[in-house]
Amino acid sequence: MSIAQQLQAIVGTRCVENEPMSKHTNFRIGGPAKWFVEVKTVEEIKKVLIIANEHALNTFVFGGGSNLLVSDQGFDGIAIKIAMRTHDIEGTRVRADAGVLSSGLARATAHAGLKGLTWAISLPGTVGGGVRGNAGCFGGEMKDRLVDVEVLRGGKVERLTKEQLNFGYRESAIKHSNDIVLSVSFELEEGDARELKAELDDKLMKRKLSQPLDAGSAGCLFKNYEISSDEELQRLETKLDLPLEMQSARRVSAGWLIDKLGLKGTQIGGAKISEVHGNFVVNAGAATADEIVQLIALIKTRARTEFGIQLMEEVQYVGF
Ligand code: EPU
């Protein structure tokens, strides 16, 4: 049996050969994955990994494709899309499969009168991907209400507590391991469903006003820059009129910085720095991954030479 046939024996028509990754990324960019599989159960993941192992094939696992830049050459291995998408609510405890959309969970919990996840209405991608990168926006982060996470580690299902996950700004232990997030539990609070729904609308409106939503992008491309010491703060103050909120948060908004560099609107081929928010590079039409990479390099070089700031990507590279 060919590898495709072996994979199809596990997931049926949810395995496709030479599948363009541009169909699965918010950037709408990316060459073909040699094999693409959508998995709906833990058993399916385990079996797919066994096949990958037997044939020494590379794998990469993803959820919503919202934070991925896949190379134009694609991925020479098995791309595994996590498609387990149920959630349960018991009292104030919420358990969501890794493939549940963060925004969907924000809406479902708000409608159930549970407080603590409304911020995630503006978060692209899935709960699993969100936990991996401790995604956040509008004052919330994945870690805030998280209790524990179920992962697949070395073929076994394990439960990891919040403490074991070592969360930081856009950081978690999962990012540095081969663990695959299967499900996540959150502890929320009782609230008023009407007020919570109004909060959802408010956050969606704020996002609409401050971020470009009409073109393909990976959300914020760079992490905000963390100011590591008082000396660093003083150094930056001589070069930049840092707003008070950034001084007290000890973090420079990458979007604000790119704006200061006068780079908004800069375009290389189809890749363009958004006019709306400097930390969004958008696919303005038929952009290639190479063009996005060139624009990333341009931004990083300018930030480093003009302000001595080393920007770090939030986006995950695949197949480079
Ligand atoms: N600003 C500008 N010009 C710009 C962009 C921003 O002047 O081009 C100013 C804004 O006016 C504001 C300040 O910079 O005064 C901060 O901007 P914003 O509120 O948009 O926040 P941010 O720090 O740039 C972070 C997250 C976003 C999240 C927003 C809203 C990171 C890297 N970014 O952006 O997350 O949606 O806050 O809470 O942490 C993402 O991670 O994909 C993402 C988009």
Side-chain angles (χ1 to χ4, degrees):
M1 271 210 285
S2 70
I3 288 168
Q5 284 166 332
Q6 291 178 46
L7 292 168
Q8 278 154 3
I10 302 166
V11 298
T13 54
R14 283 179 278 119
C15 165
V16 184
E17 249 181 302
N18 295 316
E19 171 75 347
M21 286 303 292
S22 53
K23 282 165 71 177
H24 302 279
T25 59
N26 286 16
F27 252 138
R28 297 178 210 138
I29 291 175
K34 185 89 182 76
W35 299 277
F36 171 88
V37 295
E38 220 179 80
V39 287
K40 288 202 180 273
T41 64
V42 181
E43 285 313 307
E44 286 183 358
I45 307 178
K46 284 185 188 171
K47 288 179 186 165
V48 169
L49 291 178
I50 289 171
I51 290 183
N53 205 25
E54 277 171 7
H55 299 276
L57 300 172
N58 289 325
T59 57
F60 101 90
V61 175
F62 73 106
S66 58
N67 205 21
L68 294 182
L69 182 60
V70 180
S71 83
D72 300 316
Q73 287 66 45
F75 178 70
D76 188 17
I78 310 177
I80 303 172
K81 182 174 167 85
I82 300 290
M84 299 96 80
R85 299 197 181 105
T86 59
H87 75 271
D88 333 289
I89 300 180
E90 258 189 67
T92 50
R93 186 60 63 99
V94 179
R95 192 210 59 85
D97 284 339
V100 170
L101 285 177
S102 301
S103 55
L105 194 65
R107 195 175 292 284
T109 51
H111 282 235
L114 291 176
K115 192 171 158 180
L117 281 177
T118 50
W119 59 272
I121 191 69
S122 322
L123 198 66
T126 59
V127 171
V131 166
R132 179 182 181 277
N134 188 25
C137 59
F138 300 112
E141 280 184 330
M142 271 293 171
K143 70 166 175 46
D144 298 343
R145 300 296 184 128
L146 185 141
V147 179
D148 56 27
V149 167
E150 244 181 13
V151 297
L152 188 66
R153 175 183 286 181
K156 292 207 180 77
V157 177
E158 290 193 22
R159 188 176 296 275
L160 304 178
T161 61
K162 180 175 179 170
E163 289 65 39
Q164 288 172 289
L165 292 166
N166 230 346
F167 284 115
Y169 170 64
R170 300 291 188 269
E171 268 299 333
S172 82
I174 292 164
K175 241 184 173 174
H176 308 282
S177 73
N178 291 321
D179 293 351
I180 298 173
V181 180
L182 300 173
S183 72
V184 185
S185 294
F186 300 97
E187 181 63 31
L188 304 183
E189 276 170 60
E190 280 177 20
D192 176 74
R194 253 199 5 204
E195 277 174 27
L196 293 167
K197 280 191 245 175
E199 253 182 57
L200 295 181
D201 292 341
D202 178 56
K203 294 200 158 82
L204 280 176
M205 181 55 72
K206 281 197 179 124
R207 178 158 182 256
K208 228 183 221 167
L209 293 174
S210 63
Q211 299 180 1
L213 304 179
D214 46 349
S217 81
C220 281
L221 196 63
F222 297 103
K223 294 182 199 175
N224 286 341
Y225 178 73
E226 296 191 271
I227 304 170
S228 55
S229 64
D230 291 341
E231 293 72 44
E232 174 68 345
L233 180 60
Q234 279 166 15
R235 185 187 72 77
L236 289 177
E237 276 170 345
T238 61
K239 292 178 177 270
L240 283 160
D241 53 339
L242 276 184
L244 276 177
E245 35 326 338
M246 294 186 206
Q247 291 181 33
S248 52
R250 295 266 173 155
R251 220 170 260 165
V252 183
S253 154
W256 177 85
L257 189 77
I258 293 163
D259 198 351
K260 284 274 154 200
L261 286 165
L263 285 172
K264 281 163 92 169
T266 306
Q267 195 157 351
I268 297 181
K272 182 178 178 187
I273 303 176
S274 165
E275 314 262 12
V276 183
H277 195 295
N279 201 7
F280 282 67
V281 165
V282 298
N283 179 352
T288 62
D290 271 353
E291 289 163 353
I292 303 278
V293 169
Q294 287 173 42
L295 209 42
I296 290 175
L298 173 76
I299 296 169
K300 288 176 83 168
T301 306
R302 289 281 306 275
R304 198 167 50 223
T305 46
E306 288 178 41
F307 300 126
I309 286 182
Q310 180 67 49
L311 287 175
M312 305 283 280
E313 291 88 329
E314 189 174 294
V315 72
Q316 190 189 344
Y317 293 99
V318 176
F320 283 88

